[in-house]
Amino acid sequence: MKPFVGVLLWASSILAWAQALPSWNEGDARSRIVAFVQAVTEPDGKDYVAPGERVATFDNDGTLWCEQPLYFQLVFMLEQVKAAAPKHPEWKNNPAFKALTSPDPREITRVSHKPLLALVGIANSGMTVEAYDQTIRDWLATARHPKFNKPYTDLVYQPMQELLAYLRANGFKTYIVSGGSIEFMRPWVEKAYGIPPEQVVGTISQVEFETKGGKPVLRRKAKLDFVDDGPGKPVGIYRSIGRRPIAAFGNSDGDLQMLQFTEAGPGRRLMLLVHHDDAEREFAYDRKSNVGKLDRAWDEAKAKNWIVVSMKSDWKKIFAFQP
Amino acid sequence: MKPFVGVLLWASSILAWAQALPSWNEGDARSRIVAFVQAVTEPDGKDYVAPGERVATFDNDGTLWCEQPLYFQLVFMLEQVKAAAPKHPEWKNNPAFKALTSPDPREITRVSHKPLLALVGIANSGMTVEAYDQTIRDWLATARHPKFNKPYTDLVYQPMQELLAYLRANGFKTYIVSGGSIEFMRPWVEKAYGIPPEQVVGTISQVEFETKGGKPVLRRKAKLDFVDDGPGKPVGIYRSIGRRPIAAFGNSDGDLQMLQFTEAGPGRRLMLLVHHDDAEREFAYDRKSNVGKLDRAWDEAKAKNWIVVSMKSDWKKIFAFQP
């Protein structure tokens, strides 16, 4: 390469890095991310990774979008229970159903999980996958978050959208690896994150192929086939991607094994946790939270020097709609 | 666009089409494939499909590579049973094991499948996924096909390699959707077909995440988690891809449901079966075969006017090593 061209390329790279991640404050988190990306993309560097192996996996709830006060998918699925009630008169005296439909919101915290999840399973199965997909789209179009009064899909983190784009601009393939279900994410994540349906790894319900009446359909069953959370995340990555990530991003103990699995591979690696410490602009929670609990993974992050992002001090803004 | 540029583009398209699929004879199969690709890629045409939705799924055994006289993966797995024998003295009097190791090849046909598959399960589990991957690579490097005396990975069909490349050049994303296991295909399909590991959908064994001794590993269990064959293929596509293919390619009854599922979507579709009718250059088999049986799917292909490729008359050559 001619020296002049080299200098030009170098200058344009510097410029690209300076423009990347505009919603991230200068600081340890941002500079370590940029240093990692420079290291694995520098063709002559000792840490170079070929593009095909540049796999980055992202948890969704609490990492790419908000998860408080309750996982949004759970809100949707509980709504489906209420919507299905007219078809299930036998639920009338079911304690879990009574708690769910009680005007007193504390009632729901008093019933055990198992009968509630049984109702959720029934109400979210039996239909074709296309019909369920449409129900999800319809709900997302009208439902509003109780704190922000915005569509749930507006509650994606602007700095993480920039991070996804920055990684892809540097030859990474970005995946979601979430405890949420594949069907709940696929309708909206391409628009929100630039991640196509085939790069969504998640929890999987049983579906069955049927040709009743000559028309082939896939029908949802009430049984879960695979839970993509905790130790399930490395398994989900193995099953759907077949390559070990070189960078992994999470926010809770459910992401710990994905980060451990990422770190255990050869060569340079990046492990990052988002810490929810901004009660004003979003929510503040960690060790004691029922939703998105960050306890063991936080200790391990400190011990192993993984990046821990403070939403309060590392991010200029959290949501695009905020000033 | 200036007319002159339009004419140039048009001329270069014609040239590209003429050069595509060089191992395919002129005829119905080839011209229908080309007509389909032209139709779905013509931006102003009524059949236009956006690039992200151009999903093409391919069966592997018998569609992309040879599967006779026995599925190559089964040959490998049976070899693993023999290799594991020293660690399993209890197998000595096991009738299935005795049949497998008998000098008389007819013995194996006399035992029932279940005890044989139990041995296969044991011999192909217990190790980490990395160790198993290496065993597969080692075997592929040395094993030879009994008829052709070539490495198994040489027995990929040249016309199908060209078809994969042709579809990708036209904005398609190409996937394998096979009854074979993901781990048996991933080590070699990228080189053979240009299909990366994350685009391999297949049968899945149970694996578990372990951190014994501090090192995180994925360990294989003897249990199957998902069988990607017959009605399992549309389910595998749903789970791993999340979009319905617009083109699907198979060769046996195990591909029927994938082709039905593909056809049932809206817009223009392409369904194709490879018929093994060339005993001289490869093998000839269909309705009566134990391996790659083509019976119900053939009838349905005729009834619905799906493309049926005659390997004998549609393909100039089958393997790259043939004259």
Side-chain angles (χ1 to χ4, degrees), chain A residues 247-299:
Chain A
F249 305 83
N251 77 300
S252 78
D253 286 0
D255 304 312
L256 176 57
Q257 289 85 355
M258 174 167 76
L259 271 62
Q260 290 173 333
F261 180 66
T262 300
E263 185 180 45
R268 190 149 171 175
R269 306 267 145 182
L270 185 136
M271 284 65 60
L272 182 151
L273 285 172
V274 173
H275 182 211
H276 293 262
D277 59 357
D278 194 331
E280 198 185 319
R281 294 188 300 175
E282 201 232 12
F283 294 94
Y285 58 99
D286 43 57
R287 294 191 196 276
K288 308 281 182 199
S289 180
N290 287 323
V291 170
K293 178 177 175 176
L294 176 64
D295 184 35
R296 279 181 57 208
W298 198 9
D299 292 337

Short mmCIF file of all heavy atoms in Angstrom, two decimals, chain A residues 247-299:
data_model
loop_
_atom_site.label_atom_id
_atom_site.label_comp_id
_atom_site.label_asym_id
_atom_site.label_seq_id
_atom_site.Cartn_x
_atom_site.Cartn_y
_atom_site.Cartn_z
N ALA A 247 -17.63 -11.78 21.86
CA ALA A 247 -18.10 -10.67 22.70
C ALA A 247 -19.53 -11.00 23.14
O ALA A 247 -20.33 -11.46 22.33
CB ALA A 247 -18.09 -9.36 21.92
N ALA A 248 -19.80 -10.77 24.44
CA ALA A 248 -21.13 -11.08 24.95
C ALA A 248 -21.57 -9.99 25.93
O ALA A 248 -20.75 -9.46 26.69
CB ALA A 248 -21.16 -12.44 25.63
N PHE A 249 -22.87 -9.69 25.89
CA PHE A 249 -23.43 -8.53 26.58
C PHE A 249 -24.68 -8.95 27.35
O PHE A 249 -25.58 -9.53 26.77
CB PHE A 249 -23.80 -7.45 25.55
CG PHE A 249 -22.63 -7.06 24.68
CD1 PHE A 249 -22.29 -7.81 23.56
CD2 PHE A 249 -21.86 -5.96 25.02
CE1 PHE A 249 -21.20 -7.46 22.77
CE2 PHE A 249 -20.76 -5.60 24.23
CZ PHE A 249 -20.43 -6.36 23.11
N GLY A 250 -24.70 -8.65 28.64
CA GLY A 250 -25.85 -9.02 29.45
C GLY A 250 -26.08 -8.01 30.55
O GLY A 250 -25.46 -6.94 30.58
N ASN A 251 -27.00 -8.34 31.46
CA ASN A 251 -27.25 -7.43 32.59
C ASN A 251 -27.63 -8.16 33.87
O ASN A 251 -27.86 -7.51 34.88
CB ASN A 251 -28.36 -6.43 32.25
CG ASN A 251 -29.73 -7.08 32.34
OD1 ASN A 251 -30.00 -8.05 31.63
ND2 ASN A 251 -30.60 -6.59 33.21
N SER A 252 -27.74 -9.50 33.81
CA SER A 252 -28.27 -10.18 35.00
C SER A 252 -27.61 -11.54 35.19
O SER A 252 -26.83 -12.00 34.34
CB SER A 252 -29.77 -10.35 34.87
OG SER A 252 -30.06 -11.43 34.02
N ASP A 253 -27.96 -12.19 36.30
CA ASP A 253 -27.40 -13.51 36.57
C ASP A 253 -27.76 -14.53 35.48
O ASP A 253 -27.05 -15.52 35.31
CB ASP A 253 -27.88 -14.01 37.94
CG ASP A 253 -27.16 -13.28 39.08
OD1 ASP A 253 -26.30 -12.41 38.79
OD2 ASP A 253 -27.46 -13.58 40.25
N GLY A 254 -28.85 -14.30 34.78
CA GLY A 254 -29.23 -15.20 33.68
C GLY A 254 -28.26 -15.16 32.52
O GLY A 254 -28.30 -16.01 31.63
N ASP A 255 -27.38 -14.17 32.52
CA ASP A 255 -26.38 -14.04 31.45
C ASP A 255 -25.00 -14.56 31.86
O ASP A 255 -24.08 -14.57 31.04
CB ASP A 255 -26.24 -12.57 31.03
CG ASP A 255 -27.57 -11.99 30.60
OD1 ASP A 255 -28.27 -12.65 29.81
OD2 ASP A 255 -27.92 -10.89 31.07
N LEU A 256 -24.87 -14.97 33.11
CA LEU A 256 -23.54 -15.33 33.62
C LEU A 256 -22.88 -16.43 32.79
O LEU A 256 -21.71 -16.29 32.38
CB LEU A 256 -23.67 -15.78 35.09
CG LEU A 256 -22.38 -16.28 35.74
CD1 LEU A 256 -21.28 -15.23 35.69
CD2 LEU A 256 -22.64 -16.70 37.20
N GLN A 257 -23.60 -17.50 32.52
CA GLN A 257 -22.99 -18.61 31.80
C GLN A 257 -22.63 -18.23 30.36
O GLN A 257 -21.64 -18.73 29.82
CB GLN A 257 -23.91 -19.83 31.82
CG GLN A 257 -24.02 -20.50 33.19
CD GLN A 257 -25.06 -19.86 34.10
OE1 GLN A 257 -25.67 -18.83 33.77
NE2 GLN A 257 -25.27 -20.46 35.26
N MET A 258 -23.41 -17.38 29.74
CA MET A 258 -23.05 -16.92 28.39
C MET A 258 -21.73 -16.16 28.43
O MET A 258 -20.88 -16.32 27.54
CB MET A 258 -24.17 -16.03 27.83
CG MET A 258 -23.82 -15.39 26.48
SD MET A 258 -25.24 -14.65 25.65
CE MET A 258 -25.45 -13.13 26.57
N LEU A 259 -21.54 -15.35 29.46
CA LEU A 259 -20.30 -14.59 29.56
C LEU A 259 -19.12 -15.51 29.91
O LEU A 259 -18.02 -15.35 29.36
CB LEU A 259 -20.44 -13.45 30.57
CG LEU A 259 -20.96 -12.13 29.98
CD1 LEU A 259 -22.34 -12.25 29.39
CD2 LEU A 259 -20.93 -11.00 31.00
N GLN A 260 -19.36 -16.49 30.77
CA GLN A 260 -18.31 -17.46 31.10
C GLN A 260 -17.88 -18.24 29.85
O GLN A 260 -16.70 -18.45 29.60
CB GLN A 260 -18.81 -18.46 32.15
CG GLN A 260 -19.02 -17.87 33.53
CD GLN A 260 -19.68 -18.86 34.49
OE1 GLN A 260 -20.41 -19.75 34.07
NE2 GLN A 260 -19.43 -18.69 35.78
N PHE A 261 -18.88 -18.66 29.09
CA PHE A 261 -18.62 -19.45 27.88
C PHE A 261 -17.85 -18.61 26.86
O PHE A 261 -16.93 -19.11 26.19
CB PHE A 261 -19.98 -19.90 27.31
CG PHE A 261 -19.90 -20.72 26.07
CD1 PHE A 261 -19.33 -21.99 26.07
CD2 PHE A 261 -20.44 -20.25 24.87
CE1 PHE A 261 -19.30 -22.76 24.92
CE2 PHE A 261 -20.40 -21.01 23.71
CZ PHE A 261 -19.83 -22.27 23.74
N THR A 262 -18.20 -17.35 26.74
CA THR A 262 -17.51 -16.45 25.82
C THR A 262 -16.06 -16.27 26.26
O THR A 262 -15.13 -16.38 25.44
CB THR A 262 -18.24 -15.09 25.79
OG1 THR A 262 -19.58 -15.31 25.35
CG2 THR A 262 -17.56 -14.10 24.86
N GLU A 263 -15.86 -16.03 27.53
CA GLU A 263 -14.51 -15.80 28.05
C GLU A 263 -13.61 -17.03 27.88
O GLU A 263 -12.38 -16.88 27.71
CB GLU A 263 -14.59 -15.43 29.54
CG GLU A 263 -13.25 -15.05 30.14
CD GLU A 263 -13.38 -14.69 31.62
OE1 GLU A 263 -14.07 -15.45 32.35
OE2 GLU A 263 -12.80 -13.68 32.03
N ALA A 264 -14.19 -18.22 27.94
CA ALA A 264 -13.38 -19.45 27.95
C ALA A 264 -12.77 -19.78 26.59
O ALA A 264 -11.94 -20.69 26.49
CB ALA A 264 -14.23 -20.63 28.43
N GLY A 265 -13.14 -19.05 25.53
CA GLY A 265 -12.55 -19.31 24.23
C GLY A 265 -11.16 -18.71 24.10
O GLY A 265 -10.75 -17.90 24.94
N PRO A 266 -10.42 -19.10 23.06
CA PRO A 266 -9.07 -18.57 22.87
C PRO A 266 -9.09 -17.14 22.32
O PRO A 266 -10.07 -16.72 21.72
CB PRO A 266 -8.48 -19.52 21.83
CG PRO A 266 -9.66 -20.00 21.05
CD PRO A 266 -10.83 -20.02 22.00
N GLY A 267 -7.99 -16.42 22.53
CA GLY A 267 -7.86 -15.08 21.95
C GLY A 267 -8.56 -14.02 22.76
O GLY A 267 -9.09 -14.27 23.84
N ARG A 268 -8.55 -12.82 22.21
CA ARG A 268 -9.10 -11.67 22.92
C ARG A 268 -10.63 -11.74 22.97
O ARG A 268 -11.27 -12.10 21.99
CB ARG A 268 -8.64 -10.39 22.23
CG ARG A 268 -8.97 -9.16 23.03
CD ARG A 268 -7.96 -8.08 22.81
NE ARG A 268 -8.41 -6.83 23.43
CZ ARG A 268 -7.67 -5.74 23.47
NH1 ARG A 268 -6.47 -5.74 22.92
NH2 ARG A 268 -8.13 -4.64 24.05
N ARG A 269 -11.20 -11.34 24.09
CA ARG A 269 -12.64 -11.48 24.35
C ARG A 269 -13.18 -10.21 25.00
O ARG A 269 -12.42 -9.51 25.68
CB ARG A 269 -12.88 -12.64 25.34
CG ARG A 269 -12.26 -13.95 24.93
CD ARG A 269 -13.24 -14.78 24.16
NE ARG A 269 -12.58 -15.55 23.13
CZ ARG A 269 -13.24 -16.33 22.28
NH1 ARG A 269 -14.55 -16.45 22.38
NH2 ARG A 269 -12.60 -16.99 21.35
N LEU A 270 -14.47 -9.99 24.86
CA LEU A 270 -15.09 -8.87 25.56
C LEU A 270 -16.37 -9.34 26.25
O LEU A 270 -17.25 -9.91 25.62
CB LEU A 270 -15.40 -7.75 24.57
CG LEU A 270 -15.96 -6.47 25.23
CD1 LEU A 270 -15.30 -5.24 24.63
CD2 LEU A 270 -17.46 -6.38 25.05
N MET A 271 -16.41 -9.13 27.56
CA MET A 271 -17.60 -9.47 28.35
C MET A 271 -18.09 -8.18 29.02
O MET A 271 -17.28 -7.45 29.61
CB MET A 271 -17.28 -10.52 29.43
CG MET A 271 -17.13 -11.94 28.91
SD MET A 271 -15.72 -12.22 27.81
CE MET A 271 -14.34 -11.77 28.85
N LEU A 272 -19.39 -7.93 28.93
CA LEU A 272 -19.93 -6.66 29.43
C LEU A 272 -21.28 -6.86 30.11
O LEU A 272 -22.12 -7.61 29.62
CB LEU A 272 -20.06 -5.68 28.25
CG LEU A 272 -20.55 -4.27 28.53
CD1 LEU A 272 -19.96 -3.29 27.51
CD2 LEU A 272 -22.08 -4.15 28.53
N LEU A 273 -21.43 -6.19 31.25
CA LEU A 273 -22.72 -6.18 31.95
C LEU A 273 -23.24 -4.74 32.03
O LEU A 273 -22.47 -3.82 32.32
CB LEU A 273 -22.58 -6.72 33.38
CG LEU A 273 -22.40 -8.23 33.56
CD1 LEU A 273 -22.08 -8.53 35.01
CD2 LEU A 273 -23.66 -8.98 33.12
N VAL A 274 -24.53 -4.58 31.78
CA VAL A 274 -25.18 -3.29 31.97
C VAL A 274 -25.73 -3.25 33.39
O VAL A 274 -26.48 -4.14 33.79
CB VAL A 274 -26.32 -3.11 30.94
CG1 VAL A 274 -27.13 -1.85 31.24
CG2 VAL A 274 -25.78 -3.10 29.52
N HIS A 275 -25.35 -2.22 34.15
CA HIS A 275 -25.84 -2.08 35.52
C HIS A 275 -26.92 -1.00 35.58
O HIS A 275 -26.67 0.15 35.20
CB HIS A 275 -24.68 -1.74 36.47
CG HIS A 275 -25.09 -1.63 37.90
ND1 HIS A 275 -24.47 -0.80 38.79
CD2 HIS A 275 -26.08 -2.26 38.59
CE1 HIS A 275 -25.07 -0.91 39.98
NE2 HIS A 275 -26.03 -1.78 39.88
N HIS A 276 -28.08 -1.37 36.07
CA HIS A 276 -29.21 -0.44 36.13
C HIS A 276 -29.13 0.38 37.40
O HIS A 276 -29.59 -0.05 38.45
CB HIS A 276 -30.53 -1.22 36.05
CG HIS A 276 -30.74 -1.88 34.74
ND1 HIS A 276 -31.51 -1.34 33.74
CD2 HIS A 276 -30.22 -3.03 34.22
CE1 HIS A 276 -31.49 -2.13 32.68
NE2 HIS A 276 -30.72 -3.17 32.94
N ASP A 277 -28.54 1.56 37.29
CA ASP A 277 -28.32 2.40 38.47
C ASP A 277 -28.86 3.81 38.26
O ASP A 277 -28.37 4.76 38.86
CB ASP A 277 -26.81 2.45 38.80
CG ASP A 277 -25.98 3.00 37.64
OD1 ASP A 277 -26.57 3.30 36.56
OD2 ASP A 277 -24.76 3.14 37.79
N ASP A 278 -29.86 3.92 37.41
CA ASP A 278 -30.38 5.25 37.08
C ASP A 278 -31.89 5.28 37.30
O ASP A 278 -32.69 5.12 36.37
CB ASP A 278 -30.03 5.58 35.62
CG ASP A 278 -30.23 7.05 35.30
OD1 ASP A 278 -31.10 7.69 35.94
OD2 ASP A 278 -29.52 7.56 34.42
N ALA A 279 -32.26 5.50 38.57
CA ALA A 279 -33.69 5.48 38.93
C ALA A 279 -34.46 6.62 38.26
O ALA A 279 -35.66 6.51 38.01
CB ALA A 279 -33.84 5.58 40.45
N GLU A 280 -33.74 7.68 37.95
CA GLU A 280 -34.43 8.83 37.39
C GLU A 280 -34.78 8.62 35.92
O GLU A 280 -35.92 8.75 35.51
CB GLU A 280 -33.53 10.07 37.55
CG GLU A 280 -34.28 11.38 37.42
CD GLU A 280 -33.31 12.55 37.45
OE1 GLU A 280 -32.35 12.51 38.27
OE2 GLU A 280 -33.48 13.47 36.63
N ARG A 281 -33.76 8.28 35.13
CA ARG A 281 -34.01 8.14 33.69
C ARG A 281 -34.57 6.76 33.32
O ARG A 281 -35.15 6.59 32.25
CB ARG A 281 -32.71 8.39 32.92
CG ARG A 281 -32.21 9.84 33.03
CD ARG A 281 -31.04 10.11 32.09
NE ARG A 281 -29.89 9.25 32.37
CZ ARG A 281 -28.78 9.22 31.63
NH1 ARG A 281 -28.69 10.00 30.56
NH2 ARG A 281 -27.77 8.42 31.96
N GLU A 282 -34.33 5.74 34.18
CA GLU A 282 -34.90 4.42 33.90
C GLU A 282 -35.32 3.77 35.22
O GLU A 282 -36.28 4.20 35.84
CB GLU A 282 -33.89 3.55 33.13
CG GLU A 282 -34.57 2.39 32.37
CD GLU A 282 -33.95 1.03 32.64
OE1 GLU A 282 -33.14 0.90 33.57
OE2 GLU A 282 -34.31 0.08 31.92
N PHE A 283 -34.57 2.76 35.70
CA PHE A 283 -34.85 2.11 36.98
C PHE A 283 -33.50 1.79 37.63
O PHE A 283 -32.49 1.65 36.94
CB PHE A 283 -35.63 0.80 36.78
CG PHE A 283 -37.02 0.98 36.23
CD1 PHE A 283 -37.26 0.90 34.85
CD2 PHE A 283 -38.09 1.23 37.07
CE1 PHE A 283 -38.54 1.07 34.34
CE2 PHE A 283 -39.38 1.40 36.57
CZ PHE A 283 -39.60 1.32 35.20
N ALA A 284 -33.50 1.66 38.96
CA ALA A 284 -32.29 1.24 39.66
C ALA A 284 -32.58 -0.06 40.40
O ALA A 284 -33.50 -0.11 41.23
CB ALA A 284 -31.83 2.32 40.63
N TYR A 285 -31.82 -1.10 40.08
CA TYR A 285 -32.04 -2.41 40.72
C TYR A 285 -30.83 -3.28 40.47
O TYR A 285 -30.13 -3.12 39.47
CB TYR A 285 -33.31 -3.08 40.19
CG TYR A 285 -33.32 -3.31 38.68
CD1 TYR A 285 -33.00 -4.57 38.15
CD2 TYR A 285 -33.63 -2.29 37.79
CE1 TYR A 285 -33.01 -4.79 36.77
CE2 TYR A 285 -33.63 -2.50 36.42
CZ TYR A 285 -33.32 -3.75 35.92
OH TYR A 285 -33.31 -3.94 34.56
N ASP A 286 -30.56 -4.20 41.35
CA ASP A 286 -29.52 -5.21 41.12
C ASP A 286 -29.73 -6.44 42.01
O ASP A 286 -30.55 -7.29 41.69
CB ASP A 286 -28.10 -4.61 41.21
CG ASP A 286 -27.90 -3.66 42.38
OD1 ASP A 286 -28.13 -4.08 43.52
OD2 ASP A 286 -27.51 -2.50 42.12
N ARG A 287 -28.98 -6.52 43.14
CA ARG A 287 -28.93 -7.79 43.88
C ARG A 287 -30.27 -8.28 44.42
O ARG A 287 -30.48 -9.47 44.57
CB ARG A 287 -27.96 -7.65 45.06
CG ARG A 287 -26.51 -7.46 44.62
CD ARG A 287 -25.56 -7.61 45.80
NE ARG A 287 -24.23 -7.07 45.48
CZ ARG A 287 -23.29 -7.75 44.84
NH1 ARG A 287 -23.50 -8.99 44.45
NH2 ARG A 287 -22.12 -7.20 44.59
N LYS A 288 -31.18 -7.37 44.76
CA LYS A 288 -32.41 -7.78 45.44
C LYS A 288 -33.61 -7.84 44.49
O LYS A 288 -34.74 -8.07 44.94
CB LYS A 288 -32.74 -6.78 46.57
CG LYS A 288 -31.61 -6.51 47.54
CD LYS A 288 -31.46 -7.65 48.55
CE LYS A 288 -30.33 -7.32 49.54
NZ LYS A 288 -29.84 -8.55 50.22
N SER A 289 -33.39 -7.60 43.21
CA SER A 289 -34.52 -7.48 42.29
C SER A 289 -35.09 -8.85 41.91
O SER A 289 -34.35 -9.81 41.71
CB SER A 289 -34.08 -6.74 41.03
OG SER A 289 -35.17 -6.60 40.15
N ASN A 290 -36.43 -8.93 41.81
CA ASN A 290 -37.06 -10.15 41.29
C ASN A 290 -36.97 -10.22 39.78
O ASN A 290 -37.05 -11.28 39.19
CB ASN A 290 -38.55 -10.17 41.67
CG ASN A 290 -38.73 -10.46 43.14
OD1 ASN A 290 -37.98 -11.26 43.71
ND2 ASN A 290 -39.71 -9.82 43.75
N VAL A 291 -36.82 -9.09 39.15
CA VAL A 291 -36.72 -9.00 37.69
C VAL A 291 -35.30 -8.55 37.36
O VAL A 291 -34.86 -7.50 37.83
CB VAL A 291 -37.75 -7.98 37.15
CG1 VAL A 291 -37.50 -7.69 35.67
CG2 VAL A 291 -39.17 -8.48 37.36
N GLY A 292 -34.58 -9.35 36.58
CA GLY A 292 -33.24 -8.94 36.18
C GLY A 292 -32.24 -8.85 37.32
O GLY A 292 -31.38 -7.96 37.34
N LYS A 293 -32.32 -9.80 38.24
CA LYS A 293 -31.41 -9.82 39.40
C LYS A 293 -29.94 -9.89 38.97
O LYS A 293 -29.56 -10.77 38.18
CB LYS A 293 -31.75 -11.04 40.25
CG LYS A 293 -30.86 -11.24 41.46
CD LYS A 293 -31.36 -12.45 42.25
CE LYS A 293 -30.44 -12.76 43.42
NZ LYS A 293 -30.99 -13.86 44.23
N LEU A 294 -29.14 -8.95 39.47
CA LEU A 294 -27.70 -8.94 39.17
C LEU A 294 -26.95 -9.11 40.49
O LEU A 294 -26.84 -8.15 41.27
CB LEU A 294 -27.32 -7.61 38.50
CG LEU A 294 -25.81 -7.42 38.22
CD1 LEU A 294 -25.29 -8.46 37.23
CD2 LEU A 294 -25.54 -6.01 37.70
N ASP A 295 -26.44 -10.31 40.71
CA ASP A 295 -25.79 -10.60 42.00
C ASP A 295 -24.51 -11.41 41.75
O ASP A 295 -23.41 -10.84 41.72
CB ASP A 295 -26.80 -11.35 42.88
CG ASP A 295 -26.26 -11.62 44.27
OD1 ASP A 295 -25.51 -10.78 44.79
OD2 ASP A 295 -26.58 -12.69 44.82
N ARG A 296 -24.64 -12.69 41.47
CA ARG A 296 -23.47 -13.53 41.21
C ARG A 296 -22.67 -13.02 40.00
O ARG A 296 -21.44 -13.01 40.01
CB ARG A 296 -23.89 -14.97 40.92
CG ARG A 296 -24.19 -15.81 42.14
CD ARG A 296 -24.57 -17.22 41.73
NE ARG A 296 -23.53 -17.87 40.94
CZ ARG A 296 -23.74 -18.82 40.03
NH1 ARG A 296 -24.97 -19.23 39.77
NH2 ARG A 296 -22.73 -19.37 39.36
N ALA A 297 -23.38 -12.64 38.96
CA ALA A 297 -22.69 -12.19 37.75
C ALA A 297 -21.91 -10.90 38.00
O ALA A 297 -20.83 -10.68 37.44
CB ALA A 297 -23.69 -11.99 36.61
N TRP A 298 -22.42 -10.06 38.89
CA TRP A 298 -21.74 -8.81 39.24
C TRP A 298 -20.44 -9.12 39.97
O TRP A 298 -19.38 -8.54 39.67
CB TRP A 298 -22.68 -7.95 40.09
CG TRP A 298 -22.31 -6.50 40.18
CD1 TRP A 298 -21.36 -5.86 39.46
CD2 TRP A 298 -22.91 -5.53 41.02
NE1 TRP A 298 -21.32 -4.54 39.80
CE2 TRP A 298 -22.27 -4.30 40.77
CE3 TRP A 298 -23.94 -5.56 41.97
CZ2 TRP A 298 -22.62 -3.13 41.42
CZ3 TRP A 298 -24.29 -4.39 42.61
CH2 TRP A 298 -23.63 -3.18 42.34
N ASP A 299 -20.53 -10.03 40.94
CA ASP A 299 -19.32 -10.42 41.67
C ASP A 299 -18.27 -11.00 40.71
O ASP A 299 -17.09 -10.68 40.80
CB ASP A 299 -19.65 -11.47 42.75
CG ASP A 299 -20.49 -10.87 43.87
OD1 ASP A 299 -20.43 -9.64 44.06
OD2 ASP A 299 -21.21 -11.63 44.55
#
